Amino acid sequence: MDLMQWVALAVFVVTILVVISNVVDNAVAAMIGVAVMVWIGVMSEVDAFQYVDWNVMAILVSIWVIAGYFGKTGVPSWLALQALRLSGGRPGLLVMLLSMLAGVISMFVDNVVTILMMAPVALPLARALRIPITPLILMIGFSANFMGTALLLGDLPPQMLHSVSGAEFGDFIWQFGRPSSFPILMVTFVITLGAMYAYGFRAIGRRAASVGDVGIEAKIPDPLFATLVVGWFLLTVLGMAFREALQMKLGFIALTGAVTLVLLLELLGKRVKAPKFEDIIQELDWRAIFFYIALFALVGGLEKMKILELLAHALTPIFQENLALGATLLFWATVPIVGLVEHDAYILTFLYTIRDLQSAGVEPWPLWWMLVWSGTLGSNLTIAGAPALFVALGICEREEKRKISLREFLSWSVPFTLVAAGVCYVLGMLIWVLPYMK
């Protein structure tokens, strides 16, 4: 490596360390890192702009807009109350059903938004059934963070995989004649919830409660508004699933869905009880959007300096000699790392690194899948790995009116993460890695 490469790497590492330490706002730190790279000549300002995948940014913003309306429909509250009915008022089973619901919603909605939707509904249920609040909200947080990689829409890692590899919507369900992200993560999720039920929720008292006990309306306030939003959401997802037939970018399809929904609701005016578009826009996490834009540019600086190519060359012998060993090392090294490092930056860096391994004859897909799965599951280890858990922990502390200790947090996060990672590793190796062994 020459001097400029070392400088670029140093800027990247320092920026990520500042992001992790939370000394300054994450988005500010990342944008400063990009500015430094530009000013010292690592890349030009045009390069920085071009390295951002604006297609991914369009997907994020558009889906967040639709999700903003979805959160106001009353559907999440209605679904939670159906979970109460289905559980028969049994507290432990209700926790599992709410966690499952959070995981399913997060396949289509950002995990932070999912937690903010679910928590206000889960808390009255917890009080009525005397369920400990912290374990319940943490389980919702873990679950929302877990299933975001199951499909292309829910979280940034699958969208980054689409950006780097070209993976389409259907590839997350079935690819190359075998199950991929959705079925593997769904099986892993169900097994993990079963293990957590046995670990900490089966012993919760069996006090039964009815919908009338929790003080939440069991009906949707405006059925027309809810129908329009859910229908438009499903049409948008359907359009994205058939992207190849439509021959349009996913970001444009998602943007079309969001814009037309906004237009429709604005034209209907007071005939539907919809929030103002200005309110939806203000609720978007603009800090996260600026952070993701800067993240693409930062990793682009490493690519410009060919640092990722050098890393790929260094790792090539390991994967060439034994793909199973390489995949194992990648998976189990990623789990603890993303527990301490913001997982999006780590995943994006190694997605490009694995891409560069193709020139040496290494099959990338088993490694790409093992990376995004371990990178998502491992981020549940601490609040440093995923912003969603920081939000969940904050809700717990506000409701409990006390500081949640690291020991208490880890008593739930460690077993959840280890079970999920262990099950996913076995499934990933059997379905994706071993079949590619020569």
Side-chain angles (χ1 to χ4, degrees):
M1 288 176 57
D2 59 29
L3 177 60
M4 188 56 72
Q5 288 174 319
W6 280 112
V7 171
L9 182 60
V11 172
F12 180 83
V13 170
V14 170
T15 301
I16 296 302
L17 288 175
V18 173
V19 168
I20 296 169
S21 64
N22 206 25
V23 175
V24 297
D25 184 84
N26 292 353
V28 173
M31 288 188 290
I32 290 174
V34 174
V36 171
M37 281 192 174
V38 171
W39 282 110
I40 65 177
V42 170
M43 58 182 170
S44 69
E45 70 278 16
V46 175
D47 292 330
F49 183 87
Q50 292 177 340
Y51 276 123
V52 178
D53 193 324
W54 296 104
N55 178 54
V56 168
M57 292 301 105
I59 296 172
L60 272 177
V61 174
S62 301
I63 295 301
W64 283 1
V65 167
I66 301 176
Y69 284 110
F70 177 73
K72 309 293 186 183
T73 60
V75 172
S77 300
W78 182 84
L79 290 173
L81 291 174
Q82 305 318 303
L84 174 60
R85 288 195 175 105
L86 187 61
S87 71
R90 293 185 291 274
L93 180 58
L94 178 62
V95 174
M96 296 303 106
L97 291 174
L98 290 176
S99 299
M100 175 63 74
L101 179 57
V104 171
I105 292 176
S106 73
M107 290 192 296
F108 305 93
V109 178
D110 174 72
N111 47 26
V112 174
V113 176
T114 300
I115 294 169
L116 295 176
M117 285 182 188
M118 293 293 298
V121 182
L123 289 171
L125 296 176
R127 297 187 192 103
L129 275 71
R130 300 192 184 99
I131 300 172
I133 288 176
T134 294
L136 169 62
I137 299 300
L138 289 182
M139 282 295 297
I140 289 174
F142 297 148
S143 301
N145 199 45
F146 186 117
M147 291 300 289
T149 302
L151 293 175
L152 183 55
L153 303 179
D155 203 1
L156 188 63
Q159 294 167 23
M160 293 190 299
L161 178 61
H162 165 74
S163 173
V164 175
S165 70
E168 299 292 350
F169 188 93
D171 291 330
F172 284 80
I173 302 171
W174 194 266
Q175 187 187 43
F176 305 144
R178 56 176 64 97
S180 56
S181 200
F182 172 75
I184 287 176
L185 286 184
M186 183 57 75
V187 170
T188 302
F189 189 37
V190 171
I191 294 174
T192 302
L193 290 183
M196 293 303 294
Y197 176 77
Y199 170 76
F201 296 97
R202 184 171 55 187
I204 295 179
R206 296 181 175 275
R207 179 181 183 274
S210 65
V211 171
D213 295 332
V214 298
I216 301 177
E217 287 288 336
K219 63 179 182 179
I220 296 172
D222 187 342
L224 176 60
F225 172 54
T227 301
L228 288 173
V229 172
V230 173
W232 230 258
F233 205 168
L234 293 176
L235 284 174
T236 303
V237 171
L238 188 64
M240 296 176 76
F242 288 93
R243 186 204 72 82
E244 291 180 283
L246 296 173
Q247 295 185 341
M248 293 180 179
K249 292 286 187 180
L250 286 175
F252 181 75
I253 296 172
L255 185 62
T256 300
V259 170
T260 52
L261 175 61
V262 172
L263 178 61
L264 177 63
L265 294 176
E266 291 292 312
L267 290 175
L268 288 173
K270 295 182 179 180
R271 280 174 283 181
V272 292
K273 297 177 182 177
K276 295 181 179 179
F277 177 60
E278 292 86 349
D279 297 334
I280 296 296
I281 287 294
Q282 289 174 1
E283 291 179 1
L284 292 183
D285 191 348
W286 290 103
R287 290 168 56 255
I289 293 169
F290 282 117
F291 174 73
Y292 294 145
I293 289 172
L295 182 60
F296 273 105
L298 279 170
V299 176
L302 297 185
E303 186 175 10
K304 178 78 172 182
M305 290 288 101
K306 301 189 181 299
I307 294 173
L308 298 180
E309 185 178 329
L310 292 174
L311 179 59
H313 286 319
L315 295 175
T316 295
I318 299 175
F319 296 108
Q320 282 182 325
E321 184 176 340
N322 191 322
L323 184 63
L325 176 61
T328 299
L329 292 175
L330 176 67
F331 189 96
W332 290 110
T334 296
V335 169
I337 289 174
V338 296
L340 301 173
V341 176
E342 210 290 324
H343 70 293
D344 294 322
Y346 177 93
I347 291 173
L348 183 59
T349 301
F350 273 88
L351 284 173
Y352 281 110
T353 301
I354 293 170
R355 180 203 61 186
D356 292 339
L357 291 171
Q358 293 182 83
S359 60
V362 177
E363 175 57 45
W365 275 107
L367 301 177
W368 271 330
W369 285 125
M370 295 296 271
L371 171 68
V372 294
W373 293 335
S374 58
T376 300
L377 302 184
S379 66
N380 270 329
L381 200 56
T382 73
I383 62 172
L389 300 185
F390 180 81
V391 172
L393 187 63
I395 294 172
C396 295
E397 292 181 339
R398 285 196 301 272
E399 291 298 319
E400 299 265 25
K401 294 181 174 58
R402 65 183 177 89
K403 190 75 173 176
I404 307 300
S405 69
L406 178 61
R407 181 177 181 179
E408 182 178 357
F409 180 89
L410 293 178
S411 71
W412 296 103
S413 70
V414 170
F416 188 99
T417 301
L418 289 180
V419 172
V423 173
C424 187
Y425 169 75
V426 172
L427 294 175
M429 291 294 290
L430 291 176
I431 296 173
W432 277 96
V433 178
L434 297 181
Y436 280 95
M437 295 286 290
K438 295 181 179 179

